[in-house]
């Protein structure tokens, strides 16, 4: 169907997409997880209410979540260039992916932790547990199954972002789909890239659900 060079290009694009997705998800969680925890802890009904801080953090997160990714991608190009020295390629795309995904992950983490039984948290408080003990030994362990499921959702979102980055030379399968499937009207290449993207999404979702089931027998 394709020449060897075309398959090689698709293979490189697949590896680049996986590289962008995994690195961006890891870095976005490093930023988004503490933000999500902070939203819950400092809420007016949280274990350490700080209404002003909570409002400011929530506003900042909502602002970044409201900006469409393509616009954000272009807007942060000077910052991207300052960080990695270029705005083209898979490594450069990781910067806006992290900036765009971290606020989304923060909200996912917030919703996961808020599903934790309030009685468990109150029991820990009654035994004199500190705020950090409650976070690390109660909130996060109890929310682990939904955190894992939401992690799979986050990967799907980041994958869609990385595909959109193809319009600005972001690398990966998105760039192949844009450069060959869209601009050159090579529908067969477009079809292959779409199929590969769907397979990646399904694999990550299945793995996420399987891990979540092993940590929570109710799923």
């Amino acid at each position: 169907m394709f020449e060897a060079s075309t398959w090689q290009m698709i293979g490189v694009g697949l590896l680049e997409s996986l590289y962008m997705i995994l690195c961006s998800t890891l870095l976005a969680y490093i930023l988004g997880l503490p933000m999500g925890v902070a939203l819950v802890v400092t809420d007016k009904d949280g274990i350490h209410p700080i209404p002003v801080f909570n409002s400011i953090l929530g506003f900042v997160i909502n602002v970044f979540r409201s900006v469409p990714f393509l616009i954000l991608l272009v807007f942060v190009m000077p910052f991207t260039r300052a960080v990695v020295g270029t705005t083209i390629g898979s490594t450069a795309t990781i910067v806006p992916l992290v900036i765009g995904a971290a606020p989304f992950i923060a909200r996912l983490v917030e919703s996961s932790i808020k599903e934790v039984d309030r009685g468990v948290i109150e029991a820990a408080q009654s035994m004199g547990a500190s705020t950090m003990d409650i976070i690390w030994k109660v909130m996060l362990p109890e929310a682990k199954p939904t955190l894992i499921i939401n992690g799979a959702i986050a990967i799907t979102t980041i994958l869609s972002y990385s595909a959109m980055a193809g319009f600005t030379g972001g690398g990966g399968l998105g760039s192949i789909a844009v450069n060959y499937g869209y601009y050159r009207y090579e529908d067969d290449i477009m079809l292959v890239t779409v199929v590969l993207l769907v397979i990646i999404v399904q694999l990550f979702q299945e793995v996420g659900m399987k891990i979540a089931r092993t940590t929570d027998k109710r799923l």
Side-chain angles (χ1 to χ4, degrees):
M1 179 172 153
F2 296 132
E3 296 179 356
S5 58
T6 302
W7 283 115
Q8 182 179 7
M9 176 188 66
I10 293 174
V12 171
L14 175 61
L15 292 177
E16 287 181 347
S17 290
L18 292 173
Y19 164 66
M20 288 189 291
I21 294 166
L22 296 175
C23 289
S24 299
T25 301
L26 175 62
L27 294 174
Y29 257 94
I30 291 175
L31 295 176
L33 181 62
M35 287 194 294
V37 172
L39 285 172
V40 177
V41 172
T42 61
D43 185 67
K44 60 183 178 64
D45 297 322
I47 59 176
H48 190 72
I50 309 178
V52 175
F53 174 81
N54 187 273
S55 297
I56 294 173
L57 179 59
F59 175 76
V60 172
I61 289 174
N62 288 338
V63 167
F64 278 94
R65 286 190 64 202
S66 301
V67 180
F69 180 72
L70 278 178
I71 296 175
L72 177 67
L73 178 65
V74 175
F75 180 75
V76 301
M77 276 185 174
F79 178 71
T80 302
R81 186 179 289 107
V83 173
V84 298
T86 182
T87 59
I88 299 174
S90 54
T91 299
T93 304
I94 291 174
V95 176
L97 282 176
V98 172
I99 296 174
F104 175 68
I105 288 173
R107 289 299 185 186
L108 290 178
V109 171
E110 179 189 20
S111 65
S112 294
I113 295 178
K114 283 188 173 180
E115 292 181 10
V116 175
D117 186 356
R118 182 71 185 178
V120 177
I121 297 174
E122 291 175 349
Q125 287 178 304
S126 67
M127 290 186 290
S130 66
T131 299
M132 292 305 297
D133 283 339
I134 294 174
I135 292 172
W136 288 105
K137 298 180 181 180
V138 179
M139 286 182 170
L140 292 178
E142 289 291 323
K144 187 187 296 183
T146 52
L147 284 173
I148 294 171
I149 293 173
N150 285 337
I153 295 172
I155 288 178
T156 302
T157 301
I158 292 173
L159 175 61
S160 68
Y161 286 170
S162 70
M164 284 189 282
F167 280 99
T168 59
L173 294 174
S175 287
I176 295 175
V178 170
N179 294 331
Y180 291 86
Y182 180 71
Y183 289 123
R184 299 186 184 182
Y185 303 103
E186 297 186 30
D187 295 335
D188 49 354
I189 293 181
M190 174 72 84
L191 177 61
V192 171
T193 56
V194 170
V195 170
L196 287 174
L197 289 170
V198 171
I199 291 173
I200 293 173
V201 170
Q202 294 301 316
L203 284 175
F204 277 118
Q205 287 183 340
E206 287 299 320
V207 170
M209 285 299 300
K210 186 172 183 179
I211 295 174
R213 290 192 189 99
T214 62
T215 58
D216 189 346
K217 300 303 182 181
R218 295 171 299 176
L219 296 177

